[in-house]
Amino acid sequence: MDPNARLRQEHREPTVSKAAQDHRTQAAPLEFATPEEMIRHDRERTEVPEAVGERLAHEVGAEPAPTGRPWWRRWLG
Amino acid sequence: MAEIPDETGVPPASAAESGPAPRALPPAFAEVYAVHAQAVYYLALRILGDPTQAQDAVHDVFLKAFRKYGEFRGQSEVRTWLYRITLNHCSNLRQSWAARNIHTVADDSVFETGVASAPNPLRVLETKELGERIQRALDELTPEYRLLLLLVADQELSYEQVGELTQQTADAVRGKLHRARKAFNAAFQRTA
């Protein structure tokens, strides 16, 4: 096994035509030159569930009003 | 936690960010969340290996960031600062898991709950092949190699910033990265 071999991942795309639905889904190989590239691809496909933001908003809304200028306002200028 | 959706969901059509920010957040903070939440979530997900815990981590990290606004001096990038909070949070979680396992060695059900409750099997299947193989390969690496690869994969971070987060020099990061890549490649081949 060559550890330096390019990383390959079978990526299954859903078939489009009705006829094709009876056959196996097509497999288009994705190739990544480095692990970081593969990880980056995976990260871009990984969404944060909306419920997390909703829960955060709920808790932030219950927080006392911040005094001074918040860091996130300074960051945005 | 049962109402929180699946592990990773469907990929956004084109957005590289986390998508629309929650409307109830203060607008400026919502912008911070929109830009960084996906990166924080992914880092937590791959370190913890558990989507439910990773979702909790995102929530806790951003809540902590909101509360600690007075402590951020702007000496590092926001992404780096959020990552540091995330790494501390994950480290604390893992330590508490390890401590708990001393008493309940066979209690694996805690870790399986999140994955099993994913509501959309097609989504899981779609992300399973790549996401799960990456997870399994990362799990085989040493914690240091795993973290290096995850941080270097973030193009917003320089080697200096990765070094800052992992408490080593940028040159050390570069040196170890080569070995981390080799280890990952070998581990990934074994997941086929």
Side-chain angles (χ1 to χ4, degrees), chain B residues 36-117:
Chain B
H36 299 290
Q38 186 180 37
V40 167
Y41 177 59
Y42 190 79
L43 181 64
L45 178 66
R46 293 295 169 237
I47 289 176
L48 299 172
D50 181 291
T52 304
Q53 295 287 353
Q55 289 162 25
D56 286 347
V58 173
H59 169 271
D60 293 349
V61 165
F62 277 91
L63 190 59
K64 196 172 284 182
F66 182 81
R67 287 172 176 162
K68 296 200 172 224
Y69 64 86
E71 294 179 19
F72 181 69
R73 304 288 178 212
Q75 288 166 339
S76 61
E77 297 292 329
V78 172
R79 176 69 64 95
T80 313
W81 187 59
L82 291 170
Y83 271 174
R84 186 172 295 116
I85 299 174
T86 308
L87 294 177
N88 286 337
H89 184 85
C90 292
S91 173
N92 291 340
L93 267 182
R94 290 182 74 97
Q95 280 174 14
S96 73
W97 290 353
R100 215 167 34 194
N101 277 348
I102 290 171
H103 303 291
T104 57
V105 177
D107 187 14
D108 289 334
S109 60
V110 173
F111 305 100
E112 294 166 0
T113 310
V115 179
S117 64

Side-chain angles (χ1 to χ4, degrees), chain B residues 132-144:
Chain B
E132 285 199 355
R133 288 185 65 188
I134 288 175
Q135 185 71 60
R136 277 156 51 204
L138 288 172
D139 286 347
E140 283 196 33
L141 305 186
T142 64
E144 183 179 34

